[in-house]
Amino acid sequence: YAIFSDNVLAASVVVNSATKNAKEPWKHVFHVVTDKMNLGAMQVMFKLKDYNGAHIEVKAVEDYKFLNSSYVPVLRQLESANLQKFYFENTLENATKDTTNMKFRNPKYLSILNHLRFYLPEMYPKLHRILFLDDDIVVQKDLTGLWKIDMDGKVNGAVETCFGSFHRYAQYMNFSHPLIKQKFNPKACAWAYGMNFFDLDAWRREKCTEEYHYWQNLNENRTLWKLGTLPPGLITFYSTTKPLDKSWHVLGLGYNPSISMDEIRNAAVVHFNGNMKPWLDIAMNQFKPLWSKYVDFDLEFVQACNFGV
């Protein structure tokens, strides 16, 4: 598994929930990557208990020397004056003209941890397959079945999110741009990041990282898509995504109060995507216990944390 996070508590809940629900937890290996600032805390968190025998590797993103701005377009773009201005200039004029994009002012979009998912084959050159997990998910069932799925030569196994006219490519990209119009079908079904099964051999064969770089470079001035990792993901894995059964990954627990408890109970993974994260006071009370039951309240420093549980 790969988990990229600077949130120690959230990352521990992902590993805790996965190992508690695994039939043979000692066979599971978690690659946790954080930043230098949180490395010590993350290492301590995963040394304090044995997670039912699972193997946990904790590294800092800075340890991956190839991830520098000469190789990674998004790092170069994050360093650019224009983007810095877009994020940090809180002039009234800037604040009002781009209200639709206020969510993109969230600092997570500036974090390289958010973009590591495009470098999995290079970060783990010896691995053939890996399961990518966001830090705002909870695992409720044994996930080993994913490794038995026939990927049909595809790179990315993901749950599709479209229904009716919602969550189609048209919503994520600028189809008035000739390059986008020419290459993609606006009605193509989008899929979710958060629980993605990647065949790394197929990824290397299809040269997906190069494809990602090509598009990310073209999007220097944000005319193809705004920000975030889903649009470049939809582009990179456009013809190489295999739809997984919806029960593998149920989304929306961070914004949608009307998800049925049946659907949640049947889900292998539930995802608190949205702003109402389970560790915040604004979390939805009906969903919060799904997350908090995997928090290690017996650890003294967790008891001292003031988070909304």
Side-chain angles (χ1 to χ4, degrees):
Y1 304 83
I3 302 162
F4 305 142
S5 174
D6 57 4
N7 184 326
V8 180
L9 197 63
S12 79
V13 165
V14 177
V15 175
N16 226 357
S17 62
T19 52
K20 279 198 166 131
N21 292 302
K23 293 190 176 94
E24 301 174 301
W26 57 91
K27 291 185 178 174
H28 296 247
V29 181
F30 295 84
H31 300 275
V32 179
V33 180
T34 187
D35 51 25
K36 266 233 158 66
M37 190 170 85
N38 293 286
L39 181 64
M42 201 71 90
Q43 286 171 325
V44 168
M45 187 61 155
F46 288 115
K47 286 253 187 314
L48 285 172
K49 47 182 285 194
D50 74 348
Y51 292 94
N52 300 328
H55 305 269
I56 300 153
E57 170 199 71
V58 181
K59 289 181 85 167
V61 62
E62 290 85 352
D63 296 335
Y64 295 94
K65 298 296 179 222
F66 72 90
L67 292 170
N68 54 58
S69 52
S70 65
Y71 178 63
V72 178
V74 82
L75 272 180
R76 191 171 60 251
Q77 291 163 11
L78 292 177
E79 288 166 8
S80 83
N82 276 347
L83 202 61
Q84 299 277 346
K85 197 172 154 191
F86 173 75
Y87 276 108
F88 299 117
E89 198 180 80
N90 281 326
T91 59
L92 197 59
E93 177 248 355
N94 221 12
T96 50
K97 73 172 183 222
D98 221 350
T99 44
T100 52
N101 268 344
M102 271 321 279
K103 74 174 210 178
F104 296 122
R105 307 291 288 265
N106 182 326
K108 80 168 193 180
Y109 290 102
L110 277 176
S111 165
I112 179 62
L113 286 171
N114 206 30
H115 300 272
L116 286 186
R117 60 193 72 191
F118 292 106
Y119 298 97
L120 286 162
E122 289 152 287
M123 293 173 73
Y124 307 109
K126 294 188 174 141
L127 296 188
H128 303 291
R129 292 178 154 201
I130 200 162
L131 184 63
F132 168 78
L133 296 174
D134 265 343
D135 66 2
D136 54 354
I137 65 114
V138 172
V139 179
Q140 303 190 122
K141 295 189 176 170
D142 182 72
L143 296 179
T144 45
L146 285 162
W147 271 263
K148 300 186 179 87
I149 288 173
D150 181 356
M151 290 285 284
D152 304 319
K154 299 279 199 261
V155 177
N156 168 33
V159 165
E160 291 185 326
T161 51
C162 64
F163 57 95
S165 63
F166 289 101
H167 296 292
R168 303 209 173 248
Y169 271 51
Q171 272 127 327
Y172 298 96
M173 287 158 230
N174 175 12
F175 273 88
S176 59
H177 195 291
L179 270 174
I180 295 285
K181 205 170 165 175
Q182 181 192 330
K183 275 287 211 202
F184 304 99
N185 174 358
K187 292 197 174 77
C189 188
W191 43 264
Y193 262 138
M195 195 221 67
N196 303 75
F197 189 71
F198 288 113
D199 182 330
L200 298 180
D201 292 331
W203 182 320
R204 295 175 187 110
R205 190 182 65 238
E206 300 285 342
K207 297 190 168 38
C208 293
T209 302
E210 287 92 324
E211 182 79 358
Y212 162 65
H213 280 173
Y214 169 77
W215 287 99
Q216 191 70 53
N217 279 323
L218 286 175
N219 197 40
E220 182 98 36
N221 54 2
R222 300 191 305 281
T223 51
L224 305 184
W225 68 87
K226 289 292 191 230
L227 280 168
T229 48
L230 184 58
L234 294 174
I235 282 175
T236 302
F237 305 111
Y238 177 52
S239 52
T240 56
T241 293
K242 180 185 171 91
L244 300 178
D245 187 279
K246 279 193 165 26
S247 65
W248 280 111
H249 184 189
V250 166
L251 292 117
L253 280 73
Y255 71 89
N256 179 3
S258 56
I259 307 165
S260 81
M261 276 312 192
D262 272 352
E263 204 182 339
I264 286 171
R265 264 192 296 276
N266 290 326
V269 165
V270 290
H271 194 167
F272 288 83
N273 57 315
N275 291 326
M276 299 179 185
K277 299 296 183 208
W279 53 85
L280 299 177
D281 288 333
I282 56 171
M284 286 183 264
N285 290 331
Q286 70 270 41
F287 300 145
K288 209 169 200 170
L290 299 166
W291 183 84
S292 53
K293 75 179 198 189
Y294 294 107
V295 173
D296 287 309
F297 287 113
D298 44 343
L299 299 176
E300 203 174 311
F301 67 87
V302 172
Q303 292 165 21
C305 284
N306 178 23
F307 57 89
V309 174

